[in-house]
Amino acid sequence: MVAKVRGRGPIGYEGHMAVFVALGAFLMTLAGGWTAQRVTDRRHLVLGLAGA
């Protein structure tokens, strides 16, 4: 039996976790794009690390 606690989901904080995952994905994408722009002559290395 799963108990609900005052409007939260069955586990508790999955709404907050979704925001944290989305924020983390955004920041990592931003960092990857910034890195790729800075190392234009070695961009193949950045892409190789991203695909690993």
Side-chain angles (χ1 to χ4, degrees), residues 32-33 35-49:
T35 303
Q37 290 295 321
R38 288 199 44 145
V39 293
T40 55
D41 56 337
R42 294 172 291 183
R43 191 173 295 162
H44 64 283
L45 297 175
V46 174
L47 292 173
L49 286 173

Side-chain angles (χ1 to χ4, degrees), residues 4-50:
K4 282 195 114 173
V5 180
R6 292 189 196 171
R8 293 182 184 163
I11 296 175
Y13 294 100
E14 53 281 306
H16 294 294
M17 186 59 72
V19 172
F20 290 141
V21 169
L23 184 61
F26 172 74
L27 291 175
M28 290 298 108
T29 303
L30 195 65
W34 180 72
T35 303
Q37 290 295 321
R38 288 199 44 145
V39 293
T40 55
D41 56 337
R42 294 172 291 183
R43 191 173 295 162
H44 64 283
L45 297 175
V46 174
L47 292 173
L49 286 173

